[in-house]
């Protein structure tokens, strides 16, 4: 009898131990988006949009809570710039919409600097969640210019979230707004900060929300190093996960850790892992909500599942890939006045073009574009220039054949750069074109030019003609340029301090609109 009782006790204690181990496990569901770029409203095909996103996130959050999971919602940044209805209202509907959805934190993206910093200050006030970056340093104080991290309690879990921003911001953001800021190497900012956070707060989970880009196997090319480099440069397991943005891609890998190029909406996706750190990104525009489920036990974080959940995406036949997600009524009604206000400002055609003008990223950063020719024609006429230039990265959308409205123009030119000009002496012009004409393809800096014919030989520009006439080294030539490139944007030489440089009061969008109105219908064959 004693043996039986002893065996019963042993089994009971073993069961209690297993129960205790099970009880020690915590579960965390991480939801994430990135690169919103003004898409608070659904597109013309009824895809994505914040109202449907809220319905989906509420459902995912509620399902996770029913299973006993803690839930955190994060963004990889770049809320600004991309849709005129949002741009005209400096993303007020987007930041306020995110607050209503219940975001917990976001990374500060490079496009958060598209406007004067007073606008970013306003956006921070509109948000009931922190905008984070640990590697943006105020040159005067040598301290972080923005909040570096936050500690979030979710159920029994203490979660530390650190923000980071691409160092490319220093050259792709408007230099007029960020001249007093340094963008330091992310790992240099992160390692001591996380070490301090761990010793001070003893968090259960450490997350970096980043706007730096994911480049497979750290092959970042002409871009600044991104999330993979960050994970590799830190001590192993410094970060549990990186929730990223900037490269605007779904991060999916195969069993060997190589890029899974076969991913499409509705298919399985498994995130990258580098040096003990999971790296995730949910493409762009709120097209997906990323969902990662972690089991956290005895210091170990096991990724149980991952998926990119489509938000009302459609296939080529116009059918929803998954069941249509209903729009959240309260958020829809909140956002509707912003959409109507923006649409009212943009209504009505301003002109017409006879063919598609290609402004796609894969065109304007690789080869000369007819759309760039149209833009430069407008700018050279506005300032009486002989020729003009613009960086390919400054062209953000295409123009479709047919009627053109102001919204179409603002999609092409969302940054409100001023049109400017400079008068060059022949030798100075040769030096300048030698630099800007040498920027490589697949870069925002790639030079779009018009009314000038040149080649680069051994790093030196050989200018043949300007505005159809042979180049005269002793001549003086006026060049149109926008204020962003003139101030050093995209790494262009700074020319704003030169005596012959002159800004105008007209923006690139205003000038393009006026040109299209004047010359419509635009014959693209004549550009």
């Amino acid at each position: 009898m004693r043996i039986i009782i002893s065996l019963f006790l042993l089994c009971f204690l073993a069961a209690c131990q297993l129960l205790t181990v099970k009880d020690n496990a915590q579960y965390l569901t991480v939801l994430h988006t990135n690169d919103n770029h003004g898409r608070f409203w659904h597109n013309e095909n009824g895809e994505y949009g914040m109202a449907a996103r809220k319905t989906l996130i509420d459902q995912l959050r509620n399902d996770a809570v029913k299973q006993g999971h803690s839930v955190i919602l994060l963004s990889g940044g770049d809320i600004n710039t991309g849709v005129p209805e949002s741009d005209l209202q400096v993303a007020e509907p987007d930041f306020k919409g995110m607050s209503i959805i219940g975001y917990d934190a976001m990374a500060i993206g490079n496009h958060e600097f598209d406007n004067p910093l007073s606008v970013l200050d306003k956006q921070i006030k509109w948000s009931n969640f922190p905008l984070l970056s640990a590697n943006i340093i105020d040159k005067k104080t040598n301290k972080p210019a923005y909040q570096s991290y936050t500690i979030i309690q979710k159920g029994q879990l203490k979660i530390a979230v650190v923000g980071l921003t691409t160092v490319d911001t220093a050259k792709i953001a408007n230099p007029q707004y960020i001249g007093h800021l340094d963008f330091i190497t992310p790992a240099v900012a992160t390692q001591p900060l996380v070490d301090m956070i761990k010793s001070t707060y003893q968090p259960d989970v450490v997350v970096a929300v980043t706007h730096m880009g994911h480049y497979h196997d750290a092959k970042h090319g002409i871009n600044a190093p991104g999330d993979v480099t960050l994970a590799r440069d830190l001590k192993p397991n410094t970060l549990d996960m990186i929730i990223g943005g900037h490269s605007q891609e779904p991060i999916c890998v195969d069993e060997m850790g190589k890029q899974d190029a076969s991913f499409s909406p509705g298919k399985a996706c498994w995130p990258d892992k580098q040096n003990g750190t999971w790296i995730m990104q949910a493409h762009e525009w709120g097209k997906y909500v990323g969902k990662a489920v972690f089991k956290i036990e005895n210091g170990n974080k096991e990724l149980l599942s991952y998926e990119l959940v489509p938000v009302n995406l459609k296939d080529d036949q116009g059918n929803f890939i998954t069941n249509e997600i209903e729009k959240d009524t309260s958020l829809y009604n909140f956002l509707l006045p912003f959409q109507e206000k923006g649409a009212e400002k943009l209504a009505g055609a301003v002109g017409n073009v006879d063919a598609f003008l290609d402004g796609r990223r894969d065109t304007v950063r690789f080869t000369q574009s007819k759309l760039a020719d149209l833009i430069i024609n407008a700018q050279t006429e506005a300032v009486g220039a002989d020729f003009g230039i613009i960086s390919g990265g400054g062209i953000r959308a295409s123009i479709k054949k047919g009627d053109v409205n102001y919204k179409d123009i603002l999609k092409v030119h969302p940054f409100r750069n001023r049109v400017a000009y400079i008068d060059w002496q022949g030798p100075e012009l040769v030096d300048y074109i030698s630099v800007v004409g040498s920027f490589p393809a697949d870069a925002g800096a790639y030079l779009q030019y018009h009314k000038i014919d040149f080649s680069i030989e051994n790093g030196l520009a050989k200018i043949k003609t300007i505005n159809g006439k042979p180049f005269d080294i002793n001549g003086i030539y006026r060049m149109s340029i926008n204020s962003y490139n003139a101030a050093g944007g995209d790494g262009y030489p700074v020319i704003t301090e030169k005596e012959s440089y002159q800004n105008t009061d007209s923006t690139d969008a205003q000038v393009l609109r006026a040109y299209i109105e004047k010359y419509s219908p635009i014959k693209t064959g004549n550009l």
Side-chain angles (χ1 to χ4, degrees):
M1 188 68 177
R2 284 181 179 176
I3 294 172
I4 293 172
I5 292 171
S6 297
L7 285 171
F8 176 78
L9 280 170
L10 286 170
C11 289
F12 177 75
L13 290 170
C16 286
Q17 187 175 10
L18 287 172
L19 185 61
T20 301
V21 169
K22 185 177 180 181
D23 285 346
N24 281 339
Q26 297 289 321
Y27 294 85
L28 175 65
T29 293
V30 179
L31 305 177
H32 64 96
T33 62
N34 56 277
D35 293 275
N36 175 75
H37 286 298
R39 267 77 180 183
F40 72 89
W41 200 249
H42 51 274
N43 72 359
E44 60 272 18
N45 297 321
E47 297 178 298
Y48 42 91
M50 281 188 163
R53 192 194 310 177
K54 184 178 188 300
T55 298
L56 175 60
I57 286 173
D58 285 350
Q59 177 188 325
L60 296 175
R61 188 185 279 127
N62 292 337
D63 289 347
V65 169
K66 286 178 183 178
Q67 297 176 61
H69 296 197
S70 299
V71 183
I72 191 168
L73 174 61
L74 302 169
S75 167
D78 262 12
I79 309 308
N80 286 287
T81 308
V83 175
E85 288 88 345
S86 172
D87 297 342
L88 289 168
Q89 301 171 85
V90 291
E92 181 179 356
D94 307 84
F95 282 96
K96 290 184 174 179
M98 290 176 69
S99 296
I100 292 169
I101 291 172
Y103 279 78
D104 291 293
M106 66 165 267
I108 295 177
N110 57 283
H111 282 286
E112 271 60 87
F113 297 98
D114 287 345
N115 303 295
L117 296 190
S118 59
V119 173
L120 178 53
D121 293 340
K122 191 182 296 185
Q123 291 169 342
I124 290 171
K125 290 179 181 177
W126 287 334
S127 307
N128 61 10
F129 53 91
L131 281 65
L132 304 175
S133 186
N135 68 314
I136 303 177
I137 306 299
D138 188 311
K139 292 177 181 178
K140 291 182 179 178
T141 64
N142 204 31
K143 294 179 180 180
Y146 296 95
Q147 185 174 340
S148 297
Y149 70 95
T150 186
I151 306 296
I152 301 173
Q153 191 73 37
K154 293 287 184 179
Q156 298 181 47
L157 292 175
K158 186 184 293 183
I159 304 167
V161 183
V162 174
L164 296 164
T165 305
T166 176
V167 299
D168 269 349
T169 306
K171 66 178 182 180
I172 60 179
N174 194 319
Q176 295 172 308
Y177 304 148
I178 62 168
H180 66 295
L181 300 175
D182 268 337
F183 295 80
I184 66 172
T185 303
V188 171
T190 303
Q191 191 69 66
L193 178 60
V194 172
D195 290 345
M196 181 280 291
I197 289 171
K198 287 183 176 181
S199 64
T200 304
Y201 300 99
Q202 294 82 48
D204 300 291
V205 180
V206 181
V207 183
V209 286
T210 72
H211 193 81
M212 295 169 25
H214 175 269
Y215 308 107
H216 289 275
D217 197 27
K219 295 175 181 176
H220 55 86
I222 60 172
N223 303 293
D227 294 333
V228 173
T229 301
L230 171 67
R232 291 178 178 180
D233 284 351
L234 297 171
K235 291 183 289 189
N237 303 304
T238 296
L239 300 171
D240 296 307
M241 69 191 84
I242 295 171
I243 303 298
H246 188 52
S247 50
Q248 298 180 220
E249 63 171 338
I251 299 176
C252 306
V253 301
D254 60 20
E255 296 83 359
M256 304 300 293
K258 296 181 179 179
Q259 183 176 6
D260 181 3
S262 67
F263 174 78
S264 60
K267 289 189 176 182
C269 177
W270 194 247
D272 197 4
K273 191 174 187 180
Q274 299 285 333
N275 202 20
T277 301
W278 290 102
I279 304 175
M280 307 170 194
Q281 188 178 149
H283 201 186
E284 62 184 1
W285 303 356
K287 292 178 178 178
Y288 301 89
V289 173
K291 177 192 173 189
V293 179
F294 286 89
K295 179 181 180 181
I296 302 166
E297 186 175 23
N298 298 325
N300 296 317
K301 292 91 176 181
E302 180 186 359
L303 180 59
L304 300 180
S305 65
Y306 185 73
E307 59 182 318
L308 291 173
V309 186
V311 184
N312 284 346
L313 297 184
K314 292 183 175 180
D315 59 23
D316 293 338
Q317 285 72 47
N319 301 311
F320 287 109
I321 291 168
T322 55
N323 291 333
E324 182 180 3
I325 301 167
E326 295 296 325
K327 299 174 181 65
D328 179 85
T329 303
S330 61
L331 184 53
Y332 179 91
N333 290 334
F334 175 80
L335 295 174
L336 180 59
F338 290 102
Q339 176 66 14
E340 291 176 336
K341 182 179 178 181
E344 184 180 349
K345 293 181 178 181
L346 300 166
V350 300
N352 183 281
V353 298
D354 70 349
F356 173 70
L357 290 169
D358 191 351
R360 291 172 294 188
R361 185 187 185 99
D362 289 347
T363 298
V364 296
R365 297 177 182 226
F366 287 84
T367 188
Q368 296 301 296
S369 161
K370 282 286 187 181
L371 178 54
D373 293 344
L374 174 64
I375 290 167
I376 295 170
N377 275 345
Q379 295 185 5
T380 55
E381 178 169 304
V383 298
D386 300 296
F387 73 100
I389 66 168
I390 180 176
S391 60
I395 301 172
R396 308 301 288 197
S398 302
I399 294 179
K400 295 178 181 178
K401 177 183 178 181
D403 286 344
V404 180
N405 58 35
Y406 196 33
K407 178 177 179 177
D408 298 322
I409 293 168
L410 288 169
K411 283 182 177 179
V412 173
H413 284 318
F415 302 120
R416 297 181 292 280
N417 293 314
R418 300 289 175 179
V419 175
Y421 66 86
I422 185 171
D423 293 328
W424 290 112
Q425 301 282 345
E428 285 185 304
L429 177 57
V430 170
D431 291 342
Y432 183 81
I433 295 297
S434 297
V435 175
V436 300
S438 297
F439 289 124
D442 195 18
Y446 175 76
L447 183 70
Q448 293 285 345
Y449 56 91
H450 192 44
K451 299 184 179 180
I452 181 172
D453 182 18
F454 69 92
S455 60
I456 302 293
E457 299 175 16
N458 299 318
L460 186 67
K462 300 290 185 182
I463 301 175
K464 301 168 187 174
T465 63
I466 292 179
N467 203 12
K469 298 177 182 178
F471 174 63
D472 179 1
I473 192 69
N474 297 311
I476 297 175
Y477 296 96
R478 177 166 293 185
M479 178 185 81
S480 68
I481 187 172
N482 64 49
S483 56
Y484 168 73
N485 291 135
D490 277 334
Y492 278 50
V494 177
I495 59 174
T496 52
E497 302 303 318
K498 291 185 176 292
E499 274 188 37
S500 62
Y501 173 80
Q502 182 64 52
N503 244 340
T504 73
D505 291 329
S506 299
T507 68
D508 44 16
Q510 289 169 339
V511 165
L512 183 56
R513 174 178 179 163
Y515 188 88
I516 291 174
E517 285 178 331
K518 181 177 179 180
Y519 291 105
S520 280
I522 300 293
K523 304 294 184 182
T524 55
N526 297 330
L527 294 175

